Amino acid sequence: MRTLSALLAAALLAGGCCNSCKDEMTRYHEDGRAKPIVAIASMIDTTSFDIPWSLSEELTTMVIRDVSLGGSIFVRAAEDFSPTENPFDQDLSWMKREFPNQEFVVFMELVQHEFAPALKGKKNPLPPQELATNLNMAIRVRVVDLRSSSPKIVLQEMVRDSYYIPRSLLPTNYNIATWGTEEYRNSPMGIAHAQIVQEISNRLSDYILLAKSR
């Protein structure tokens, strides 16, 4: 029994070492250049959109995945970050304390996420349930450079997108087509989320790599 415990302990230690080595390897390009080290905080959701899962968790996971898959940035998720300060305030002094050993930190806030009738004119005789709709979304993004003694904002903008849903499509039941299923990925909301996340990920990568090169 003691031998088995020792083997298990050794296996866990070896696994931890392998994960550590893997992390170290992904921090660098093949030519030895270091990638920017970026912490991505969980997206703040200030909407009241009713869905069976967390929009914050879904969109944060997607952004982290897309930025990581780009291969040029070493991403560390900061999912446990619970700010006592407003990350979009002018005061940045606390950020180096909260995110030690990071070069950049990304904050996001979902401020709009709603279905709205797609009205082409001021008047429309059709009832709302027979109209085409738009999924209107807006996400506030801020990237802060932590490399110097004083944190510096390198990107701050509101990313907006509107996904058109024709009335010929049957309404999606998101209690069934939930996040993570194939049905959800092919649904209007799943496609719309992938679209805005791709735009945000591209912006993050472009601005972080530009700042890193300076």
Side-chain angles (χ1 to χ4, degrees), residues 62-89:
M62 293 174 71
V63 170
I64 290 173
R65 180 202 62 198
D66 280 15
V67 175
S68 298
L69 287 176
S72 298
I73 293 174
F74 181 71
V75 178
R76 287 175 172 165
E79 298 172 348
D80 295 333
F81 170 63
S82 299
T84 56
E85 307 283 349
N86 181 0
F88 293 95
D89 195 26

Side-chain angles (χ1 to χ4, degrees), residues 9-84:
L12 289 172
L13 180 60
C17 291
C18 288
N19 289 335
S20 178
C21 291
K22 184 178 179 181
D23 285 345
E24 286 301 314
M25 289 177 63
T26 57
R27 284 185 58 182
Y28 299 92
H29 294 282
E30 292 183 356
D31 59 7
R33 290 178 298 115
K35 300 177 183 179
I37 303 173
V38 181
I40 299 181
S42 294
M43 186 179 296
I44 301 167
D45 183 3
T46 53
T47 71
S48 56
F49 192 82
D50 187 20
I51 202 76
W53 63 90
S54 167
L55 285 178
S56 169
E57 183 181 357
E58 178 197 352
L59 295 170
T60 303
T61 300
M62 293 174 71
V63 170
I64 290 173
R65 180 202 62 198
D66 280 15
V67 175
S68 298
L69 287 176
S72 298
I73 293 174
F74 181 71
V75 178
R76 287 175 172 165
E79 298 172 348
D80 295 333
F81 170 63
S82 299
T84 56

Side-chain angles (χ1 to χ4, degrees), residues 17 143-144 169:
C17 291
V143 178
V144 180
L169 289 181

Side-chain angles (χ1 to χ4, degrees), residues 173-201:
N173 184 344
Y174 290 104
N175 290 300
I176 298 175
T178 57
W179 172 38
T181 64
E182 187 66 27
E183 291 81 5
Y184 177 71
R185 281 190 290 274
N186 295 321
S187 71
M189 191 186 302
I191 296 170
H193 286 181
Q195 185 171 288
I196 195 170
V197 162
Q198 185 64 62
E199 183 177 353
I200 290 172
S201 300

